[in-house]
Amino acid sequence: MDQAVLILIKPDGLKKSLTGNILTRLSETKLEIVAAKMVRVTQNLAEEHYKHLKDKPFFNEIIKYLQGELHDRKKVMALIYWGNEAIKKCRDLAGSTNPEEAESTSIRGSYGRITTSGVYENVVHVSSNDSEAEREIKLWFSPEEIIVDLYATQDIVHKEFKARSWA
Ligand code: IDP
Ligand code: MG
């Protein structure tokens, strides 16, 4: 079954110059990249992304982590991979959430760590099922940033619309 999955290279991955390594590992899946961009993550976006973890004791730390406050790298790379069994293929490559438990050849097993304050710095985010992927993709991307039609869209006419263009 063809699926879409949101991948985030988190700030630790960017700080450790792992972008190339991670993309190379993900290319083993033979999936297609259908969207990619750099994002400066606001507190709102981070909180919305992790809203299902709001009650966890580590919630505040992972919000800071995703915003880059732990790594002095205030950005993440967001990508959408698309193709057969995309979620399972990408999660298998990423490895377990806890980098100490992740298989040592996985991305998280190779490059992740647990900080002294207990945050799992696990380098990548990968959506964990179809409904989570849809929610996350709609949160991180607008339809025109994705080169295929993944979900239903609607046309809205904006009467007064201010947008930035090249000067
Ligand atoms: P996932 O990223 O493997 O889907 P989630 O349960 O969705 O795992 O957790 C989101 C993120 O929160 C993880 O990637 C990790 O950075 C962090 N995290 C999850 N569980 C813990 C924990 O028990 N201690 C510290 N950080 C955690
Ligand atoms: Mg998750």
Side-chain angles (χ1 to χ4, degrees), residues 1-119:
M1 186 186 57
D2 282 340
Q3 294 176 313
V5 59
L6 178 78
I7 305 278
L8 301 177
I9 301 180
K10 297 183 184 181
D12 51 328
L14 296 173
K15 177 145 188 181
K16 292 173 176 172
S17 297
L18 292 172
T19 307
N21 303 44
I22 292 166
L23 296 182
T24 300
R25 296 299 310 278
L26 288 168
S27 71
E28 292 167 20
T29 62
K30 308 284 185 228
L31 297 166
E32 190 183 343
I33 299 173
V34 294
K37 64 178 176 180
M38 301 305 300
V39 184
R40 203 170 285 283
V41 181
T42 62
Q43 183 159 348
N44 272 349
L45 176 57
E47 287 182 354
E48 196 55 33
H49 179 77
Y50 281 136
K51 70 177 183 187
H52 55 294
L53 300 173
K54 194 143 186 68
D55 298 333
K56 301 282 184 195
F58 52 85
F59 181 72
N60 287 341
E61 286 299 304
I62 59 173
I63 297 307
K64 281 196 237 160
Y65 171 29
L66 198 62
Q67 288 186 269
E69 288 180 17
L70 310 183
H71 296 92
D72 197 25
R73 279 288 186 290
K74 299 213 174 342
K75 58 190 172 188
V76 306
M77 187 171 191
L79 305 108
I80 303 171
Y81 280 75
W82 185 80
N84 188 40
E85 301 293 342
I87 294 176
K88 182 176 184 332
K89 284 178 183 163
C90 292
R91 281 197 72 97
D92 283 353
L93 266 183
S96 303
T97 305
N98 179 340
E100 298 296 331
E101 288 172 3
E103 212 182 306
S104 55
T105 55
S106 68
I107 295 170
R108 289 167 165 179
S110 304
Y111 304 122
R113 66 168 196 151
I114 303 179
T115 66
T116 44
S117 57
V119 185

